[in-house]
Coordinates of all heavy atoms in Angstrom, one line a residue:
Chain A
E171 N 165.7 40.1 70.1 CA 167.0 39.6 70.0 C 167.2 38.8 68.8 O 168.3 38.7 68.2 CB 167.3 38.7 71.3 CG 167.8 39.5 72.5 CD 168.0 38.7 73.7 OE1 168.4 37.5 73.5 OE2 167.8 39.2 74.8
V172 N 166.1 38.2 68.3 CA 166.2 37.4 67.0 C 166.1 38.4 65.8 O 166.8 38.2 64.9 CB 165.0 36.4 67.0 CG1 164.9 35.7 65.7 CG2 165.0 35.5 68.2
A173 N 165.1 39.3 65.9 CA 164.7 40.0 64.6 C 165.1 41.5 64.7 O 164.8 42.2 63.7 CB 163.2 39.9 64.4
G174 N 165.6 42.0 65.8 CA 165.8 43.4 66.0 C 166.6 44.1 65.0 O 166.4 45.3 64.7
A175 N 167.5 43.4 64.4 CA 168.5 44.0 63.4 C 167.7 44.5 62.2 O 168.2 45.3 61.4 CB 169.6 43.1 63.1
N176 N 166.5 43.9 61.9 CA 165.9 44.2 60.6 C 164.7 45.2 60.8 O 163.8 45.2 59.9 CB 165.3 42.9 60.0 CG 166.5 41.9 59.7 OD1 167.5 42.4 59.2 ND2 166.3 40.7 60.0
A177 N 164.8 46.0 61.8 CA 163.8 47.1 62.0 C 162.3 46.6 61.9 O 161.6 47.1 61.1 CB 164.0 48.2 61.0
P178 N 161.9 45.6 62.6 CA 160.5 45.2 62.6 C 159.7 46.2 63.3 O 160.2 47.0 64.1 CB 160.6 43.8 63.4 CG 161.7 44.0 64.4 CD 162.7 44.9 63.7
L179 N 158.4 46.1 63.1 CA 157.4 47.0 63.8 C 157.1 46.4 65.1 O 156.6 45.2 65.2 CB 156.2 47.2 63.0 CG 155.1 48.1 63.6 CD1 155.6 49.5 63.9 CD2 153.8 48.1 62.7
I180 N 157.4 47.1 66.2 CA 157.1 46.6 67.6 C 155.7 47.0 67.9 O 155.3 48.2 67.9 CB 158.1 47.3 68.6 CG1 159.5 47.0 68.1 CG2 157.8 46.8 70.0 CD1 160.6 47.7 69.0
C181 N 154.8 46.0 68.2 CA 153.4 46.3 68.4 C 153.0 45.5 69.6 O 152.8 44.3 69.6 CB 152.6 45.8 67.1 SG 150.9 46.0 67.2
G182 N 152.8 46.2 70.7 CA 153.4 47.5 70.9 C 153.2 48.0 72.3 O 152.9 47.3 73.3
A183 N 153.3 49.3 72.3 CA 153.2 50.0 73.6 C 151.8 50.3 74.0 O 151.0 50.6 73.1 CB 154.1 51.2 73.5
N184 N 151.5 50.3 75.3 CA 150.2 50.8 75.8 C 150.5 51.5 77.1 O 151.6 51.7 77.5 CB 149.2 49.7 75.9 CG 149.7 48.6 76.8 OD1 150.5 48.8 77.7 ND2 149.3 47.4 76.6
A185 N 149.4 51.9 77.8 CA 149.6 52.8 79.0 C 150.4 52.0 80.0 O 151.2 52.6 80.8 CB 148.2 53.1 79.5
A186 N 150.3 50.7 80.0 CA 151.0 49.9 81.1 C 152.4 49.7 80.8 O 153.3 49.6 81.8 CB 150.2 48.6 81.3
N187 N 152.8 49.5 79.6 CA 154.2 49.0 79.3 C 155.0 50.1 78.5 O 156.0 49.8 77.9 CB 154.2 47.7 78.5 CG 153.6 47.9 77.1 OD1 153.5 49.0 76.6 ND2 153.2 46.8 76.5
L188 N 154.5 51.3 78.5 CA 155.1 52.3 77.6 C 156.6 52.5 77.7 O 157.3 52.4 76.7 CB 154.4 53.7 77.8 CG 154.8 54.8 76.8 CD1 154.3 54.5 75.4 CD2 154.3 56.2 77.3
D189 N 157.0 52.7 79.0 CA 158.4 53.0 79.2 C 159.3 51.8 78.6 O 160.3 52.0 78.0 CB 158.7 53.2 80.6 CG 158.1 54.5 81.1 OD1 157.7 55.3 80.2 OD2 157.9 54.7 82.3
A190 N 158.9 50.6 79.0 CA 159.7 49.4 78.6 C 159.8 49.3 77.1 O 160.8 49.0 76.5 CB 159.2 48.2 79.2
M191 N 158.6 49.5 76.4 CA 158.5 49.3 75.0 C 159.3 50.4 74.3 O 160.0 50.2 73.3 CB 157.1 49.4 74.5 CG 156.3 48.1 74.8 SD 156.9 46.7 73.9 CE 155.8 45.4 74.4
V192 N 159.2 51.7 74.8 CA 160.0 52.8 74.2 C 161.5 52.5 74.3 O 162.3 52.7 73.3 CB 159.6 54.1 74.8 CG1 160.6 55.2 74.4 CG2 158.2 54.5 74.5
E193 N 161.9 51.9 75.4 CA 163.3 51.6 75.6 C 163.8 50.6 74.6 O 164.8 50.7 74.0 CB 163.5 51.1 77.0 CG 164.9 51.1 77.5 CD 165.0 50.7 79.0 OE1 164.3 51.3 79.8 OE2 165.8 49.8 79.2
L194 N 162.9 49.5 74.4 CA 163.3 48.5 73.4 C 163.3 49.1 72.0 O 164.3 48.8 71.2 CB 162.2 47.4 73.4 CG 162.3 46.4 74.5 CD1 161.1 45.5 74.5 CD2 163.6 45.6 74.4
A195 N 162.4 50.0 71.7 CA 162.3 50.6 70.3 C 163.6 51.4 70.1 O 164.2 51.4 69.0 CB 161.1 51.5 70.2
K196 N 164.0 52.2 71.1 CA 165.2 53.0 71.0 C 166.4 52.1 70.9 O 167.3 52.4 70.1 CB 165.3 53.9 72.3 CG 164.4 55.1 72.2 CD 164.6 56.0 73.4 CE 163.7 57.2 73.3 NZ 163.5 57.9 74.6
K197 N 166.5 51.0 71.6 CA 167.6 50.1 71.6 C 167.9 49.6 70.2 O 169.0 49.5 69.7 CB 167.4 49.0 72.6 CG 168.6 48.0 72.7 CD 168.4 47.0 73.8 CE 169.3 45.8 73.6 NZ 168.9 44.7 74.5
Y198 N 166.7 49.2 69.5 CA 166.9 48.6 68.2 C 166.6 49.6 67.1 O 166.6 49.2 65.9 CB 165.9 47.4 68.1 CG 166.4 46.2 69.0 CD1 165.8 46.0 70.2 CD2 167.4 45.4 68.5 CE1 166.2 44.9 71.0 CE2 167.8 44.3 69.3 CZ 167.2 44.1 70.5 OH 167.7 43.0 71.3
D199 N 166.3 50.8 67.5 CA 166.0 51.9 66.5 C 164.9 51.4 65.5 O 165.0 51.5 64.3 CB 167.3 52.3 65.7 CG 167.0 53.5 64.9 OD1 166.2 54.4 65.3 OD2 167.7 53.7 63.8
A200 N 163.8 50.8 66.1 CA 162.8 50.2 65.4 C 161.5 51.0 65.6 O 161.3 51.7 66.6 CB 162.5 48.8 65.8
P201 N 160.6 51.0 64.6 CA 159.3 51.7 64.7 C 158.4 51.0 65.8 O 158.5 49.8 66.0 CB 158.7 51.6 63.3 CG 159.3 50.4 62.7 CD 160.7 50.3 63.3
L202 N 157.6 51.8 66.4 CA 156.8 51.4 67.6 C 155.3 51.7 67.4 O 155.0 52.9 67.2 CB 157.4 52.0 68.9 CG 156.6 51.8 70.2 CD1 156.7 50.3 70.6 CD2 157.2 52.7 71.3
V203 N 154.4 50.7 67.6 CA 153.0 51.0 67.7 C 152.7 51.5 69.1 O 153.1 50.9 70.1 CB 152.2 49.8 67.4 CG1 150.7 50.1 67.6 CG2 152.4 49.4 65.9
I204 N 152.0 52.7 69.2 CA 151.5 53.1 70.5 C 150.0 53.0 70.5 O 149.3 53.6 69.5 CB 152.0 54.6 70.8 CG1 153.5 54.6 70.9 CG2 151.3 55.0 72.1 CD1 154.1 55.9 71.3
K205 N 149.5 52.3 71.4 CA 148.0 52.0 71.5 C 147.4 52.8 72.7 O 147.9 52.6 73.8 CB 147.8 50.5 71.6 CG 146.3 50.2 71.7 CD 146.2 48.6 71.6 CE 145.1 48.1 72.5 NZ 145.1 46.6 72.5
G206 N 146.4 53.5 72.4 CA 145.7 54.2 73.5 C 144.3 53.6 73.6 O 143.7 53.1 72.7
A207 N 143.7 53.8 74.8 CA 142.3 53.4 74.9 C 141.5 54.7 74.5 O 141.2 55.5 75.4 CB 142.0 53.0 76.3
G208 N 141.3 54.9 73.3 CA 140.6 56.1 72.8 C 141.7 57.1 72.4 O 142.9 57.0 72.6
L209 N 141.2 58.2 71.7 CA 142.1 59.2 71.1 C 142.8 60.0 72.2 O 143.9 60.4 72.0 CB 141.2 60.1 70.2 CG 140.7 59.4 68.9 CD1 139.8 60.3 68.1 CD2 141.8 58.8 68.0
D210 N 142.1 60.3 73.3 CA 142.7 61.2 74.3 C 143.9 60.5 74.9 O 145.0 61.1 75.0 CB 141.7 61.5 75.4 CG 140.6 62.4 74.9 OD1 140.8 63.1 73.9 OD2 139.5 62.4 75.5
E211 N 143.7 59.2 75.3 CA 144.9 58.5 75.9 C 146.0 58.4 74.8 O 147.2 58.5 75.2 CB 144.4 57.2 76.4 CG 145.5 56.5 77.2 CD 145.2 55.1 77.7 OE1 144.5 55.0 78.7 OE2 145.6 54.2 77.1
L212 N 145.6 58.1 73.6 CA 146.6 57.9 72.5 C 147.5 59.1 72.4 O 148.7 59.1 72.4 CB 145.9 57.6 71.2 CG 146.8 57.4 70.0 CD1 147.8 56.3 70.2 CD2 146.0 57.2 68.7
A213 N 146.8 60.3 72.4 CA 147.6 61.6 72.2 C 148.5 61.7 73.4 O 149.7 62.1 73.3 CB 146.7 62.7 72.1
A214 N 148.0 61.4 74.6 CA 148.8 61.6 75.8 C 150.0 60.7 75.8 O 151.2 61.1 76.2 CB 148.0 61.4 77.1
L215 N 149.8 59.4 75.4 CA 150.9 58.4 75.4 C 152.0 58.8 74.4 O 153.2 58.6 74.7 CB 150.3 57.0 75.1 CG 149.5 56.4 76.2 CD1 149.0 55.0 75.8 CD2 150.2 56.3 77.5
V216 N 151.5 59.3 73.2 CA 152.5 59.7 72.2 C 153.4 60.8 72.7 O 154.6 60.8 72.5 CB 151.8 60.1 70.9 CG1 152.8 60.6 69.9 CG2 151.1 58.9 70.3
E217 N 152.8 61.8 73.4 CA 153.6 62.9 73.9 C 154.5 62.4 75.0 O 155.7 62.8 75.0 CB 152.6 63.9 74.5 CG 151.7 64.5 73.4 CD 151.7 66.0 73.5 OE1 151.0 66.6 74.3 OE2 152.5 66.6 72.7
K218 N 154.0 61.5 75.8 CA 154.8 61.0 76.9 C 156.0 60.2 76.4 O 157.1 60.3 76.9 CB 153.9 60.1 77.8 CG 154.6 59.7 79.1 CD 153.6 59.1 80.1 CE 154.3 58.4 81.2 NZ 153.8 57.0 81.4
A219 N 155.8 59.4 75.3 CA 156.8 58.5 74.8 C 158.0 59.4 74.3 O 159.2 59.0 74.5 CB 156.3 57.6 73.7
G220 N 157.7 60.5 73.7 CA 158.8 61.3 73.1 C 159.6 60.6 72.0 O 160.7 61.0 71.8
Y221 N 159.0 59.6 71.4 CA 159.7 58.8 70.4 C 159.1 59.2 69.1 O 158.0 59.6 69.0 CB 159.5 57.3 70.7 CG 160.4 56.4 69.8 CD1 161.8 56.5 69.9 CD2 159.8 55.4 69.0 CE1 162.5 55.6 69.2 CE2 160.6 54.5 68.3 CZ 161.9 54.6 68.3 OH 162.7 53.8 67.6
K222 N 160.0 59.2 68.0 CA 159.5 59.8 66.7 C 159.2 58.8 65.6 O 158.6 59.1 64.6 CB 160.5 60.8 66.2 CG 160.8 62.0 67.1 CD 159.6 62.9 67.1 CE 159.9 64.0 68.1 NZ 158.7 64.6 68.7
K223 N 159.5 57.5 65.9 CA 159.2 56.5 64.9 C 157.9 55.7 65.4 O 158.1 54.7 66.0 CB 160.3 55.5 64.7 CG 161.6 56.1 64.1 CD 162.6 55.1 63.8 CE 163.8 55.7 63.1 NZ 164.8 54.6 62.8
V224 N 156.8 56.3 65.1 CA 155.6 55.8 65.8 C 154.5 55.5 64.8 O 154.4 56.1 63.7 CB 155.0 56.9 66.7 CG1 153.7 56.6 67.2 CG2 156.0 57.1 67.9
I225 N 153.8 54.4 65.1 CA 152.5 54.1 64.4 C 151.4 54.1 65.4 O 151.6 53.6 66.5 CB 152.6 52.6 63.8 CG1 153.8 52.5 62.8 CG2 151.3 52.2 63.1 CD1 153.7 53.0 61.5
L226 N 150.3 54.7 65.0 CA 149.2 54.9 66.0 C 148.1 53.9 66.0 O 147.8 53.4 64.9 CB 148.5 56.3 65.7 CG 149.5 57.5 65.7 CD1 148.7 58.7 65.2 CD2 150.1 57.8 67.0
D227 N 147.6 53.5 67.1 CA 146.5 52.6 67.3 C 145.6 53.2 68.3 O 145.9 53.3 69.5 CB 147.0 51.2 67.7 CG 145.9 50.2 67.9 OD1 144.7 50.6 67.8 OD2 146.2 49.1 68.2
S228 N 144.4 53.6 67.9 CA 143.4 54.2 68.8 C 142.7 53.2 69.7 O 142.0 53.6 70.6 CB 142.4 55.0 68.1 OG 141.5 54.1 67.5
G229 N 143.0 51.9 69.5 CA 142.4 50.9 70.3 C 141.1 50.4 69.8 O 140.6 49.4 70.3
A230 N 140.5 51.1 68.9 CA 139.1 50.8 68.4 C 139.3 49.5 67.6 O 140.2 49.3 66.8 CB 138.6 51.9 67.6
R231 N 138.3 48.6 67.6 CA 138.2 47.4 66.8 C 136.9 47.3 66.0 O 136.9 46.6 65.0 CB 138.5 46.2 67.7 CG 139.9 46.1 68.3 CD 141.0 46.0 67.3 NE 142.3 46.0 67.8 CZ 143.1 47.0 68.0 NH1 142.7 48.2 67.6 NH2 144.3 46.9 68.5
E232 N 135.8 47.9 66.5 CA 134.6 47.8 65.7 C 134.8 48.8 64.5 O 135.3 49.9 64.7 CB 133.4 48.2 66.5 CG 133.2 47.5 67.8 CD 134.0 48.1 68.9 OE1 134.5 49.2 68.8 OE2 134.2 47.4 69.9
V233 N 134.2 48.4 63.4 CA 134.5 49.1 62.1 C 134.1 50.6 62.2 O 134.7 51.5 61.7 CB 134.0 48.4 60.9 CG1 132.5 48.3 60.9 CG2 134.5 49.0 59.6
N234 N 132.9 50.8 62.8 CA 132.4 52.2 62.9 C 133.3 53.1 63.7 O 133.6 54.2 63.4 CB 130.9 52.2 63.4 CG 130.8 51.7 64.8 OD1 131.6 50.9 65.2 ND2 129.8 52.1 65.5
K235 N 133.8 52.5 64.8 CA 134.7 53.3 65.7 C 136.1 53.5 65.0 O 136.6 54.6 65.1 CB 134.8 52.5 67.0 CG 135.5 53.3 68.1 CD 134.5 54.3 68.7 CE 135.0 55.2 69.8 NZ 136.2 55.9 69.5
V236 N 136.5 52.5 64.4 CA 137.8 52.7 63.6 C 137.7 53.8 62.6 O 138.6 54.6 62.5 CB 138.3 51.3 63.0 CG1 139.6 51.5 62.2 CG2 138.5 50.2 64.0
L237 N 136.6 53.7 61.9 CA 136.4 54.7 60.8 C 136.4 56.2 61.4 O 137.1 57.1 60.9 CB 135.1 54.5 60.1 CG 134.6 55.6 59.1 CD1 135.6 55.7 58.0 CD2 133.3 55.2 58.5
A238 N 135.7 56.3 62.6 CA 135.7 57.6 63.2 C 137.1 58.0 63.7 O 137.5 59.2 63.5 CB 134.7 57.6 64.4
D239 N 137.8 57.1 64.3 CA 139.1 57.4 64.8 C 140.1 57.7 63.7 O 140.9 58.6 63.8 CB 139.6 56.3 65.7 CG 138.9 56.2 67.0 OD1 138.1 57.1 67.3 OD2 139.2 55.3 67.8
Q240 N 140.1 56.9 62.6 CA 141.0 57.1 61.5 C 140.8 58.5 60.9 O 141.7 59.2 60.6 CB 140.7 56.1 60.4 CG 141.2 54.7 60.7 CD 142.7 54.5 60.6 OE1 143.3 55.0 59.7 NE2 143.3 53.9 61.6
T241 N 139.5 58.9 60.8 CA 139.2 60.2 60.3 C 139.7 61.3 61.1 O 140.3 62.3 60.7 CB 137.7 60.3 60.1 OG1 137.2 59.2 59.3 CG2 137.3 61.6 59.3

Side-chain angles (χ1 to χ4, degrees):
Chain A
E171 276 179 28
V172 176
N176 296 319
L179 176 60
I180 303 173
C181 180
N184 57 29
N187 66 16
L188 184 69
D189 294 342
M191 285 291 183
V192 170
E193 200 175 306
L194 282 172
K196 282 183 177 161
K197 180 175 168 191
Y198 290 98
D199 193 27
L202 173 68
V203 172
I204 297 182
K205 175 172 150 188
L209 293 176
D210 290 339
E211 188 185 277
L212 177 60
L215 291 179
V216 172
E217 298 230 276
K218 187 168 167 230
Y221 191 59
K222 300 289 176 205
K223 293 187 176 181
V224 169
I225 303 280
L226 304 173
D227 178 358
S228 73
R231 293 296 179 266
E232 307 83 16
V233 65
N234 60 336
K235 193 74 182 55
V236 177
L237 173 62
D239 286 355
Q240 289 283 317
T241 306

